[in-house]
Amino acid sequence: KPSSAASDVYKRQPHALMSRRRFAIASSAAGAAATLGLPVLAQSAWPSKPIRIVVPYTPGGFTDQMARLVQIGLQTRLGQPVLIDNKPGANSLIGVDAVAKAAPDGSTFGVVIAAYAANTSLYPKLPYDPRKDLAGVSLMGVSPLLAAVNLDAPFKTARELIDYARANPGKVSFGSSGNGSAAHLTTELWKSLTKTYMIHIPYRGAVPALTDLMGGQIQLFFDAPTGLINQAKAGKIRLIGVAGDKRLPAVPEVPTFIEQGFAGFTGSTWAGMLAPAGTPREIVKRMSDEVARIIKSDETRAKLDAMGTFPAGGTPEEFDAFIASETAKWGAVIRTAGVKAE
């Protein structure tokens, strides 16, 4: 029975003692969890509110498609709404900055592509620090770029293209979806390896570049497989090579550049999930595990095959290491080719 003094306190502040009791119970539970080696996350029941996935590009593109591939599965597995928030602009800097500055409470994540690694070298000053402000969650998929040429071009294979470019310096023009894009940097890498001189025509996106390729305004275009596969099957462009170490299931007849004698030449775009730095490791690990399960499911694999994308789904540590290697690779290309941001 409470003392008369305690009763007086309870009468004057009825919520005070209840709050103290709740705090004591919560503290006791957390202490027990720590003693047993259980993660504190189990006590907070993450997620307790909707999850936002920031896509730093417009809807419909490769990055957006990859985010939406895991959206429904995450909603089912995590029991909370998962919302796609498209924040395009500045070669993904606006959207990535929004992730970097979001509260690290497990309610905000972002999906990025190869440009994220390239931007570290492409821009002298970023609005965020990729090493301090962001943390890897999972590499979702890797999409080796395809190379396509105009149907009326005076070359039909990769080797014929190189021979023509060497004999006619500056007469071959290639398009890209913008300065510093995976398409641009992959073509610059190929130019360096083959010792050729071709003219770069940057576009504001892949669609106008592909339109000009079909129209003959440019002769060569490296890009993510999805759009190129569809146009090649429609007989509007010719595919001459895969910039990966194996062929794509969607177009098994197209050889890799390595098979064609261009040893070591690879270039890809990829999609991966990031979290704001400081997000609890238990949450990052749980999200990574769930993304991997969805990406590696038979249903998702079939969709990825059609997109020319190989599923990944690694650990946060593996994705951080992958980003570091991609940053170094494309940084070297940017410096060698003298690529500048638009």
Side-chain angles (χ1 to χ4, degrees):
K1 181 180 179 179
S3 66
S4 58
S7 296
D8 290 342
V9 170
Y10 184 79
K11 290 175 183 177
R12 291 194 305 271
Q13 297 177 321
H15 301 294
L17 292 180
M18 290 301 292
S19 297
R20 290 173 187 169
R21 287 176 183 173
R22 292 191 187 102
F23 179 78
I25 292 171
S27 298
S28 176
T35 301
L36 295 173
L38 299 175
V40 177
L41 173 63
Q43 307 301 320
S44 61
W46 177 86
S48 59
K49 59 182 178 180
I51 293 172
R52 177 178 65 138
I53 298 180
V54 176
V55 173
Y57 296 96
T58 54
F62 175 72
T63 322
D64 187 70
Q65 291 177 41
M66 292 298 293
R68 293 179 193 278
L69 271 181
V70 300
Q71 179 187 20
I72 303 301
L74 287 174
Q75 287 184 158
T76 301
R77 302 187 68 86
L78 298 178
Q80 287 288 344
V82 176
L83 312 174
I84 305 297
D85 184 7
N86 295 92
K87 289 186 175 297
N91 202 21
S92 83
L93 298 187
I94 293 173
V96 174
D97 190 45
V99 178
K101 291 179 170 55
D105 59 2
S107 64
T108 300
F109 295 86
V111 173
V112 296
I113 55 174
Y116 171 73
N119 285 346
T120 302
S121 300
L122 190 61
Y123 292 91
K125 186 176 178 63
L126 295 171
Y128 54 84
D129 186 326
R131 295 178 183 84
K132 295 180 180 178
D133 299 336
L134 293 148
V137 175
S138 178
L139 177 63
M140 299 163 66
V142 177
S143 193
L145 299 191
L146 276 173
V149 297
N150 175 265
L151 292 178
D152 296 327
F155 34 77
K156 293 182 172 60
T157 67
R159 181 57 62 185
E160 288 178 1
L161 168 58
I162 293 306
D163 290 342
Y164 181 87
R166 286 175 176 168
N168 301 275
K171 288 192 176 182
V172 175
S173 59
F174 69 93
S176 80
S177 52
N179 279 331
S181 64
H184 178 202
L185 298 182
T186 297
T187 315
E188 292 290 354
L189 178 59
W190 199 42
K191 284 172 53 183
S192 176
L193 290 174
T194 58
K195 296 178 171 51
T196 52
Y197 175 63
M198 294 180 275
I199 303 298
H200 175 219
I201 310 296
Y203 292 82
R204 293 191 178 277
V207 173
L210 181 54
T211 299
D212 274 6
L213 178 71
M214 292 187 290
Q217 285 77 27
I218 57 175
Q219 292 77 48
L220 172 67
F221 182 38
F222 277 84
D223 198 31
T226 309
L228 296 184
I229 288 173
N230 294 336
Q231 297 300 333
K233 289 184 175 180
K236 296 181 178 180
I237 56 175
R238 178 179 289 110
L239 302 178
I240 63 169
V242 179
D245 55 9
K246 55 185 174 182
R247 299 190 184 196
L248 299 178
V251 281
E253 72 280 4
V254 181
T256 68
F257 284 98
I258 294 173
E259 290 178 281
Q260 298 180 72
F262 302 96
F265 174 61
T266 60
S268 63
T269 190
W270 45 262
M273 184 175 286
L274 299 173
T279 301
R281 294 304 297 173
E282 295 88 353
I283 292 177
V284 172
K285 179 63 166 58
R286 171 79 186 281
M287 178 61 92
S288 178
D289 290 344
E290 299 296 0
V291 167
R293 290 188 183 98
I294 296 167
I295 286 291
K296 294 178 180 179
S297 69
D298 291 340
E299 179 183 0
T300 305
R301 277 178 177 268
K303 294 176 181 177
L304 290 173
D305 280 350
M307 294 170 59
T309 301
F310 296 106
T315 66
E317 292 75 19
E318 288 170 340
F319 188 34
D320 282 334
F322 177 82
I323 291 173
S325 67
E326 285 284 287
T327 300
K329 173 182 177 178
W330 296 121
V333 173
I334 288 168
R335 289 188 293 273
T336 300
V339 178
K340 303 295 183 182
E342 293 177 328

